[in-house]
Amino acid sequence: MKISVIIAFYKNLPFLDLILSGLERQGYDNFEVIIAEDDDAPATREWLSAQPAPFPRRHVSQPDNGLPKKRILNAARPAS
């Protein structure tokens, strides 16, 4: 069974790096990671494009203009 891990993220790349590093060490490998960013920071996109992706990974974001976090989490639906 494939699972989706959704990470709610807001302006803290060191913590995102820790989470992704931990996921790389998992024994179960049939998963995808969806990073739901409550911001649309170019620095995040640049950082993600420079990082290796040992598992399927998707990044969704929304502008940081007071929209509720739940809106970006709803946009992070797993791929069918």
Side-chain angles (χ1 to χ4, degrees):
M1 172 201 298
K2 184 173 185 175
I3 63 168
S4 298
V5 177
I6 300 173
I7 301 169
F9 172 71
Y10 183 73
K11 296 184 179 185
N12 198 328
L13 288 172
F15 282 144
L16 181 60
D17 185 43
L18 285 173
I19 293 167
L20 294 176
S21 294
L23 289 170
E24 283 182 45
R25 293 173 176 82
Q26 296 303 306
Y28 187 81
D29 63 356
N30 193 14
F31 66 92
E32 68 175 342
V33 172
I34 303 169
I35 300 160
E37 182 182 14
D38 189 17
D39 191 9
D40 193 21
T44 303
R45 288 190 303 278
E46 292 168 10
W47 186 85
L48 287 170
S49 67
Q51 302 300 314
F55 39 75
R57 184 176 71 190
R58 190 163 49 103
H59 174 235
V60 295
S61 62
Q62 67 183 10
D64 185 12
N65 61 4
L67 294 173
K69 180 175 85 172
K70 63 185 173 188
R71 185 173 290 170
I72 193 59
L73 290 174
N74 284 334
R77 293 186 184 149
S80 299

